[in-house]
Amino acid sequence: MTTEARPLAGKDRRTILTYGTFDLFHVGHVRLLRRLAELGDRLIVACSTDEFNALKGKQTAIPFAHRVEVLEACKHVDLVIPEERWEQKRQDIVDHKVNLFAMGDDWAGRFDDLRDLCDVLYLPRTQNVSTTELKELIQTMRQRPPAAE
Amino acid sequence: MTTEARPLAGKDRRTILTYGTFDLFHVGHVRLLRRLAELGDRLIVACSTDEFNALKGKQTAIPFAHRVEVLEACKHVDLVIPEERWEQKRQDIVDHKVNLFAMGDDWAGRFDDLRDLCDVLYLPRTQNVSTTELKELIQTMRQRPPAAE
């Protein structure tokens, strides 16, 4: 017998699933992902594709492939999958043996119908840190000439 | 005896040190940090403080504490320290027993004087991915009304 930590077998492992765009990766994303990861053993992030965002009339600063690569480099994230359509959630939950579906509380109540498949939780978002506010800040930043270095 | 991987003892561990601002954390940062981490066993990132940036006439979109928190969440980074002045590099190399000082090749040749203390390397940057270009893109993005979701 050993007391070394080992990966849990599939049936004992608690898998969390969340969905998002993760444009301009920032501290609000990090804190949400950290809190999600702490709820289980494996965090899966479904990242919206550029095509899906276009359907929603949403434009990102960062293309899908780069948003995925940044998410994959986050120590709280175990797997990144594409989010391509609204209807995929039930299948994702089954395919990845998800125990907990969790989103920021800007989505509170919106996914309660998934409770027949797994737990559903809405987490508080970090106040005053959002991609939208960040873009607005950058758009209003005064452009200074770069200093000689 | 065990064959489990264990942290190397101090004298056997190869420590890498780099410096940067890491504003608007993006795929160019991730790729640079990954390649740096692959060069050794422990990657230390010195992140420029807001005060140091002000001295250089540089303004970031993201404050120091948040840039640090995002770096600390990157799986390639082992330790983040503050960069507060130009002259601290020699002391950092000694204090943290650094074996390799490495920067993007936009700094090529600028730190060759540190070669009496450790190895010095300049790595190619990811083409077409930079914080400056990202800010310019966001500043020119057409604002669309958000779609109902």
Side-chain angles (χ1 to χ4, degrees):
Chain A
M1 286 292 286
T2 171
T3 56
E4 293 284 320
R6 286 187 305 183
L8 294 171
K11 69 181 177 60
D12 297 322
R13 189 169 58 176
R14 186 167 164 86
T15 297
I16 321 289
L17 174 64
T18 194
Y19 290 75
T21 302
F22 299 94
D23 196 22
L24 295 175
F25 196 73
H26 56 66
V27 75
H29 296 139
V30 166
R31 291 175 185 173
L32 180 64
L33 293 170
R34 183 173 59 223
R35 283 179 299 149
L36 289 168
E38 286 168 356
L39 297 171
D41 305 296
R42 186 169 73 128
L43 175 59
I44 302 176
V45 178
C47 179
S48 58
T49 63
D50 296 332
E51 294 74 15
F52 185 50
N53 285 327
L55 274 179
K56 295 188 283 181
K58 198 169 176 179
Q59 188 188 13
T60 61
I62 310 291
F64 172 69
H66 289 183
R67 287 182 282 118
V68 168
E69 202 169 325
V70 171
L71 279 167
E72 286 175 339
C74 179
K75 60 178 63 159
H76 308 303
V77 176
D78 297 287
L79 177 66
V80 183
I81 63 175
E83 179 187 18
E84 298 172 298
R85 57 190 189 284
W86 290 110
E87 304 77 18
Q88 77 185 61
K89 295 184 181 68
R90 301 189 75 85
Q91 192 64 48
D92 289 343
I93 289 167
V94 173
D95 288 349
H96 295 282
K97 299 180 173 56
V98 170
N99 305 96
L100 174 63
F101 176 96
M103 298 287 285
D105 63 4
D106 43 333
W107 292 95
R110 297 286 292 275
F111 300 107
D112 288 355
D113 64 300
L114 300 173
R115 288 190 199 277
D116 60 327
L117 290 175
C118 65
D119 294 333
V120 175
L121 183 71
Y122 307 96
L123 285 178
R125 300 297 295 259
T126 303
Q127 295 301 306
N128 303 320
V129 185
S130 77
T131 300
T132 303
E133 286 166 67
L134 194 48
K135 284 180 184 169
E136 287 167 1
L137 169 68
I138 295 164
Q139 280 161 345
T140 58
M141 272 172 80
R142 191 155 52 89
Q143 293 299 288
R144 303 190 197 179
E149 288 189 352
Chain B
M1 288 290 289
T2 171
T3 57
E4 292 287 318
R6 287 187 305 184
L8 295 171
K11 70 182 177 61
D12 296 323
R13 190 169 58 176
R14 186 166 165 86
T15 297
I16 321 290
L17 173 64
T18 194
Y19 290 75
T21 302
F22 298 94
D23 196 22
L24 296 174
F25 196 73
H26 57 66
V27 75
H29 296 139
V30 166
R31 291 176 184 172
L32 180 64
L33 293 170
R34 183 174 58 223
R35 284 179 298 148
L36 288 168
E38 285 168 356
L39 297 171
D41 306 294
R42 186 170 73 128
L43 175 59
I44 302 175
V45 177
C47 179
S48 58
T49 63
D50 296 332
E51 293 74 16
F52 185 49
N53 285 327
L55 275 179
K56 294 189 282 181
K58 199 169 175 178
Q59 189 188 13
T60 61
I62 311 291
F64 172 70
H66 289 184
R67 287 183 281 119
V68 167
E69 202 169 325
V70 171
L71 279 167
E72 286 175 339
C74 179
K75 60 178 65 160
H76 308 303
V77 176
D78 297 286
L79 177 66
V80 183
I81 62 174
E83 180 188 18
E84 297 172 298
R85 56 190 190 284
W86 290 111
E87 304 76 18
Q88 77 185 62
K89 295 184 181 68
R90 301 189 75 85
Q91 193 63 48
D92 289 343
I93 290 168
V94 173
D95 288 349
H96 295 282
K97 300 180 173 57
V98 170
N99 305 96
L100 174 64
F101 176 95
M103 298 287 285
D105 63 3
D106 42 334
W107 293 96
R110 298 286 293 275
F111 301 108
D112 288 354
D113 63 299
L114 300 173
R115 289 190 199 276
D116 59 326
L117 290 175
C118 65
D119 293 334
V120 174
L121 183 71
Y122 307 96
L123 285 178
R125 300 297 293 260
T126 303
Q127 294 300 305
N128 303 320
V129 186
S130 77
T131 300
T132 303
E133 287 166 68
L134 194 49
K135 285 181 185 170
E136 287 168 0
L137 168 69
I138 295 163
Q139 280 160 346
T140 59
M141 272 172 80
R142 192 157 50 90
Q143 292 300 287
R144 303 191 200 181
E149 288 187 353

